[in-house]
Amino acid sequence: MTMTTARKVELRRGLKDVYLDTTEASFIDGGVGKLLYRGYNIHDLAEQSTFEEVVYLLLRGKLPTPRELEAFDAGLRAERSIPRGVVEIIQRVKDAHPMDVLRTAVSALAAFDPEVKDNSKEALVRKGLRLTAQAPTIVAALERIRKGLRPVEPNPKLNHAGNFLYMLFGKEPDEEAAGVMDVDFILHAEHGANASAFTARVVASTLSDLHSAVVAAIGALKGPAHGGAAEEVMKMVKEVADPERARAYADALLSRGDRVMGFGHRVYKAEDPRARHLRERSRRLGEVKGQPQWFQILQRFEDEIMFPYRAKGIYVNVDFYAGSIYYLLGIPEDLFVSIFALGRIPGWTLQVVEQYTNNMLIRPLLEYTGPMDLPFVPIGQRG
Ligand code: CMC
């Protein structure tokens, strides 16, 4: 929203529609629902690529040859362990929200990273890859510890997504589960100047370090207007419980002025292209697991209840179906937003690299609207 104040200052609240810088990370056309990572369509990547290959694409700037990917993947697999000191910190803070634990553990990893102060492009990429490899180990270790179980060591025989589920549940996932997790990570890997990537850029623009930028980004992602929506969607769907109750539930919610989580987007005014891949997988997984009701409830919202909102450019976003997928995989709801973070670390890293490469301190202005030149009365003379 653009507003003009009394002093004729043009305010762009929420920095809506403001271009901050240039990027080669991703292209988004919100009007038609198009998303490219480094020029490649998200649909091709979701259907034909792997998370490891997408990370290579984002951080090395091109698609790898088979040999390049093999060596890159071996490097990622070798970086999955987390220091004992970080596991101990997770044990101490295990009762906090998992995003608080992830944020704290990533912050602690800085103390163990020999390259923490090195902001050269090569070191930033190495650190980003280490964080990409280590973050799933943090989330899985937390889940085990809070259940009173021992953390599971990473299994270098499994790919990134399969290993995450293995460390979370202590058994190798089936192909379907590992495949869904892989696609989910691909879809979350990068997304322009969203609130968390912007936060990471602000931190990088002060010439602080990558760990600080990622810690701050995790904090920004946690909110329900950003990454926290998937958790809220699943809470809503469970409260609805029966597709026949969806309409009454939504009417009550909307008439209170509340929003249906998982709908709407600052940039997309057509369908979020990432939703397509999660919609189909939510349906399939629901059938395989014998729990089709969740998808049926979600469909009621998308096809009936929220249909009229399309005229206002409000469609499903990436979070709408994601929650049901995590739930069907057996992942507790308070871990959902952490999973978004696991996928997004490569995108944050790339944007921090871009920010450093052509840095300019990000420092906007605020228009002051408070009182002016008040007389200061010393504290002893105030009644
Ligand atoms: N349900 C009902 N109405 C909505 C919704 C919704 N989910 N989202 C937006 N609106 C309405 C809003 O009430 C407003 O109506 P009016 O013009 O009559 O006042 C209009 O649409 C514009 O809303 P806005 O808040 O000005 O738009 P925004 O661009 O600032 O907000 C958003 C974007 C994502 C914060 C918002 O759509 C929202 O709160 N959605 C629900 C939360 C959610 O799903 N978040 C995940 C976003 S996608 C994952 C990610 O990348 O983070």
Side-chain angles (χ1 to χ4, degrees):
M1 185 201 306
T2 306
M3 283 168 57
T4 309
T5 66
R7 275 195 329 139
K8 303 262 184 289
V9 169
E10 195 184 279
L11 293 184
R12 305 291 285 269
R13 294 196 66 240
L15 301 182
K16 197 167 184 171
D17 299 327
V18 171
Y19 284 86
L20 164 76
D21 213 324
T22 61
T23 183
E24 293 181 359
S26 56
F27 169 82
I28 304 169
D29 183 338
V32 296
K34 180 171 181 168
L35 170 62
L36 311 177
Y37 291 172
R38 286 200 181 271
Y40 293 95
N41 197 299
I42 194 66
H43 298 311
D44 292 331
L45 296 172
E47 281 157 18
Q48 299 178 55
S49 188
T50 61
F51 181 65
E52 288 83 344
E53 188 178 39
V54 166
V55 177
Y56 188 104
L57 170 68
L58 290 171
L59 292 177
R60 297 254 185 264
K62 68 173 190 83
L63 285 175
T65 63
R67 282 184 60 179
E68 285 168 338
L69 182 59
E70 198 184 322
F72 178 79
D73 188 16
L76 271 180
R77 289 175 197 228
E79 299 272 25
R80 288 174 179 165
S81 290
I82 53 174
R84 180 76 222 147
V86 174
V87 177
E88 284 166 9
I89 289 170
I90 297 171
Q91 276 160 344
R92 294 287 290 272
V93 299
K94 66 178 171 39
D95 296 324
H97 188 280
M99 279 296 266
D100 298 345
V101 177
L102 179 64
R103 199 188 57 226
T104 303
V106 169
S107 189
L109 278 177
F112 296 89
D113 197 314
E115 297 190 290
V116 70
K117 290 189 188 140
D118 188 344
N119 285 339
S120 65
K121 182 178 174 188
E122 296 70 26
L124 287 171
V125 169
R126 280 195 298 274
K127 286 187 285 184
L129 292 176
R130 260 199 294 286
L131 283 177
T132 301
Q134 290 173 317
T137 313
I138 294 171
V139 175
L142 164 66
E143 177 59 6
R144 305 285 297 175
I145 290 168
R146 66 184 188 165
K147 277 184 168 158
L149 300 167
R150 285 169 71 88
V152 175
E153 286 299 313
N155 182 347
K157 293 202 184 87
L158 299 175
N159 70 6
H160 188 84
N163 175 61
F164 170 58
L165 293 175
Y166 166 73
M167 291 189 298
L168 202 57
F169 298 121
K171 64 177 177 55
E172 284 193 29
D174 58 40
E175 230 175 87
E176 175 94 18
V180 170
M181 203 66 252
D182 186 54
V183 169
D184 183 81
F185 284 148
I186 292 173
L187 296 172
H188 284 95
E190 157 57 31
H191 209 240
N194 56 81
S196 57
F198 176 67
T199 303
R201 276 183 179 267
V202 172
V203 174
S205 83
T206 70
L207 302 181
S208 183
D209 56 86
L210 179 72
H211 284 79
S212 300
V214 172
V215 167
I218 291 170
L221 181 66
K222 184 184 174 191
H226 194 0
E231 183 179 339
E232 299 300 321
V233 174
M234 200 55 217
K235 274 190 202 146
M236 174 183 82
V237 169
K238 279 169 67 186
E239 274 171 31
V240 172
D242 177 343
E244 296 308 323
R245 292 188 49 216
R247 168 66 68 183
Y249 183 96
D251 285 349
L253 182 138
L254 290 164
S255 64
R256 285 197 304 269
D258 289 349
R259 294 176 176 204
V260 178
M261 292 289 129
F263 279 85
H265 199 276
R266 173 60 67 81
V267 181
Y268 293 120
K269 300 304 165 199
E271 183 176 304
D272 180 336
R274 302 168 295 180
R276 179 198 299 182
H277 302 278
L278 297 178
R279 179 191 294 111
E280 175 50 21
R281 282 170 176 80
S282 167
R283 187 194 61 73
R284 216 168 55 210
L285 211 54
E287 277 174 15
V288 170
K289 302 273 182 191
Q291 297 179 46
Q293 71 275 29
W294 312 122
F295 183 75
Q296 289 162 2
I297 294 169
L298 292 165
Q299 284 283 276
R300 286 280 172 107
F301 276 92
E302 185 177 12
D303 294 345
E304 296 173 24
I305 297 159
M306 295 302 284
F307 192 84
Y309 284 74
R310 293 184 185 193
K312 282 175 77 177
I314 297 172
Y315 289 77
V316 277
N317 62 49
V318 67
D319 277 338
F320 189 64
Y321 288 100
S324 61
I325 288 176
Y326 305 148
Y327 182 80
L328 288 164
L329 289 176
I331 298 173
E333 278 140 61
D334 65 352
L335 285 189
F336 291 2
V337 59
S338 316
I339 293 172
F340 190 152
L342 302 185
R344 185 53 61 84
I345 292 174
W348 290 333
T349 303
L350 173 53
Q351 295 211 34
V352 166
V353 170
E354 288 191 332
Q355 187 64 39
Y356 276 121
T357 305
N358 185 21
N359 189 46
M360 182 169 184
L361 180 69
I362 299 173
R363 205 299 185 193
L365 297 170
L366 287 170
E367 172 70 347
Y368 177 71
T369 56
M372 302 282 278
D373 302 324
L374 297 177
F376 181 81
V377 180
I379 189 156
Q381 296 170 26
R382 278 175 238 151

